[in-house]
Amino acid sequence: VDTTEILLRFPVAPERGNAIITNSGAFKSYAIDFCESIGLELSELDPRTLAAAREFLPSFAAMENPLDTTAQSIKDPSILGKSLSVLLADENVGSVIAAVIPGPPKAVVPRAQALMAGLTGTEKPCVVSVFGDESPVPPEFAQIVRERGACFIRSPDRALRAMAAVTAHGRLGRMSHEGGTRAPALPESL
């Protein structure tokens, strides 16, 4: 279902790797290992992207993919939108997943609005997910994300798995158009 939602919103599946935005250093470390285990390539970020991110991220933030916006994005949610914008502009990036801590109830909707301010007319798949599969998230959060054209997938793990499938689909499509691979022949009798 998650993979289908991405492909319905973004019918051109990416061939390039993924970038991740998070405001959790723990998830950043987890995501690196998890992406490797599911075959989701993390893009090498362009030096210009990193230079742009240095302009608004704190000096102690590690400039790499996944991009950890640090706890500063709790104080200044606009950092999330700026991060999304620079990653979507990077030619090495085929898709972006934002995996964020939604925060206290009164901060959730403003955080969604700040993040989605960075989504500007892209055809690259963009998925937003939040930590805590069972924790309450106001319906307005998902509504804001989807109205801006992104996908909302409740769990970061599910979002990463779905994007791995979408990216594999994009790469297979490219190879079949280039004649590099063919669909396997079906047996004559089924």
Side-chain angles (χ1 to χ4, degrees), residues 61-86:
M63 297 295 154
E64 58 192 7
N65 187 12
L67 187 62
D68 179 6
T69 62
T70 74
Q72 288 299 112
S73 64
I74 293 170
K75 181 179 173 186
D76 179 7
S78 72
I79 290 173
L80 294 170
K82 291 172 187 174
S83 297
L84 179 60
S85 181
V86 299

Side-chain angles (χ1 to χ4, degrees), residues 118-133:
L119 184 65
T120 54
T122 183
E123 292 184 15
K124 293 180 182 180
C126 179
V127 175
V128 175
S129 61
V130 294
F131 299 109
D133 292 1

Side-chain angles (χ1 to χ4, degrees), residues 20-85:
I20 298 171
I21 300 167
T22 186
N23 55 1
S24 165
F27 179 75
K28 174 183 176 164
S29 297
Y30 168 79
I32 292 168
D33 291 337
F34 188 69
C35 287
E36 184 177 338
S37 73
I38 62 172
L40 179 59
E41 174 191 338
L42 293 176
S43 296
E44 181 79 28
L45 299 179
D46 187 286
R48 292 171 292 189
T49 300
L50 299 175
R54 276 188 196 91
E55 305 239 342
F56 56 84
L57 285 175
S59 60
F60 55 85
M63 297 295 154
E64 58 192 7
N65 187 12
L67 187 62
D68 179 6
T69 62
T70 74
Q72 288 299 112
S73 64
I74 293 170
K75 181 179 173 186
D76 179 7
S78 72
I79 290 173
L80 294 170
K82 291 172 187 174
S83 297
L84 179 60
S85 181

